[in-house]
Amino acid sequence: MDDARGRDPGLFTPASVTWQLHADPMMWIAGIRALYLQALHPRAVRGVLQNSDFRRDAWGRLLRTADFVGVTTYGTTEDAERAGERVRKIHGMLTATDPDTGERYGVGEPELLLWVHCAEIASYLQVVRRSGFPFTGAQADRYLAEHRAGARLVGLDPAEVPADRAALDAYFEKVRPELAAGPEAREVDDFLRRPPVHPLLVPARALLWRHVAALAYDSLPAWAHALYGRPAPPPTTVTRHLRTTGTLLRAIPASLRRRTPPRHLLHAVTRLGPGARPAPGRVPR
């Protein structure tokens, strides 16, 4: 690696809220919440199910999403731009069909990309914050503003992307009439509740995964529960469960947690030095 590339902190840099928040272990639960939320947009979820083998490669899709988040957060600027270029190229080639009208549309339409982006970023912010990660409202707004850079990578105009909590809330209020738990959303829901696993892992699915998926679902907004038609515990109870889970996961030494795939953060610390290692106390104020 040449010197310039070795010193490149990437799009977000260790001085960003994103750098600190995305290292938190609750991001995995937040990612599952994002899938639940994203599936409620019929046009967006059709684009996924009609263009991928989600039913047989859902785990691969989850890991590819985690890899994209990892490389755009902790990779070099060149790495992030290259990852964004690949995503834009794929989106530009894919279409989906509305089964009711026969309309064909591109999966890279700005309104669909915006929905996926907002559902994802809102889920990361909500789950990590509610699980006890020390965060002020101003830091939450800064996190959303930082992710205009990530939105640009997938093909969105940053000026059209919500940059604070008020704008994000207004976006969800505006888009809610378009949302529904159609057959595709039910399919995603069924997978997340009972993902296919090797027969030897069925007991682990019942003991562990069921609780993880339930917590991700419970952390959705009330209007999402209403669309899916399944109740959830009161928000105060969900927040307590998120805090308990966050406390347990954060008790696992970071040196062990960060060795699970993808390992982009480890590479970033190697590249930039120990000062780049995330910690809640380093969230910029």
Side-chain angles (χ1 to χ4, degrees):
M1 182 182 295
D2 61 55
D3 289 345
R5 180 175 167 83
R7 293 192 302 269
D8 178 14
L11 288 183
F12 292 102
T13 85
S16 68
V17 176
T18 297
W19 190 280
Q20 311 302 325
L21 186 145
H22 283 188
D24 193 84
M26 290 297 286
M27 282 285 289
W28 289 101
I29 293 177
I32 299 169
R33 181 196 192 266
L35 287 177
Y36 268 120
L37 196 54
Q38 288 166 347
L40 290 174
H41 195 300
R43 288 169 65 87
V45 72
R46 282 187 203 116
V48 173
L49 296 185
Q50 293 182 15
N51 286 284
S52 66
D53 196 3
F54 180 85
R55 299 156 190 83
R56 289 192 295 178
D57 189 35
W59 293 117
R61 181 177 179 81
L62 288 172
L63 287 175
R64 286 191 292 274
T65 299
D67 183 73
F68 181 79
V69 173
V71 74
T72 55
T73 303
Y74 300 113
T76 65
T77 303
E78 180 183 347
D79 292 336
E81 295 289 353
R82 188 182 298 119
E85 183 179 3
R86 284 196 300 268
V87 168
R88 295 193 303 273
K89 182 178 180 180
I90 291 171
H91 286 166
M93 296 187 297
L94 301 180
T95 61
T97 302
D98 186 322
D100 297 323
T101 66
E103 175 201 2
R104 291 192 66 81
Y105 56 91
V107 301
E109 290 183 354
E111 60 267 29
L112 302 184
L113 296 178
L114 183 60
W115 166 253
V116 171
H117 171 84
C118 289
E120 182 178 300
I121 297 306
S123 294
Y124 296 163
L125 184 60
Q126 280 285 321
V127 168
V128 176
R129 255 193 117 186
R130 290 176 68 186
S131 68
F133 192 92
F135 234 60
T136 66
Q139 288 167 330
D141 287 342
R142 176 169 173 170
Y143 174 75
L144 294 172
E146 288 173 358
H147 275 274
R148 287 183 160 185
R152 176 187 61 77
L153 288 179
V154 299
L156 284 164
D157 178 355
E160 301 297 322
V161 177
D164 57 35
R165 289 166 298 157
L168 187 62
D169 290 344
Y171 167 77
F172 281 120
E173 191 65 28
K174 177 183 176 182
V175 79
R176 276 176 57 183
E178 303 174 31
L179 307 180
E184 295 90 351
R186 301 291 177 188
E187 189 169 342
V188 172
D189 181 29
D190 184 63
F191 167 81
L192 291 175
R193 296 170 74 186
R194 291 174 293 275
V197 295
H198 189 280
L200 294 177
L201 297 177
V202 170
R205 181 180 66 183
L207 287 173
L208 299 175
W209 178 264
R210 179 168 61 87
H211 296 289
V212 169
L215 185 56
Y217 175 84
D218 291 346
S219 68
L220 290 167
W223 53 261
H225 298 145
L227 289 174
Y228 275 112
R230 293 208 320 276
T236 53
T237 301
V238 177
T239 297
R240 186 170 67 250
H241 292 166
L242 286 168
R243 283 181 173 270
T244 300
T245 304
T247 299
L248 290 173
L249 290 179
R250 293 176 191 122
I252 300 171
S255 59
L256 295 179
R257 286 192 276 108
R258 292 167 187 167
R259 291 188 181 281
T260 59
R263 298 183 175 88
H264 300 292
L265 175 54
L266 288 178
H267 298 323
V269 173
T270 300
R271 186 173 82 246
L272 300 172
R277 191 173 290 117
R282 293 179 177 175
V283 178
R285 299 186 179 277

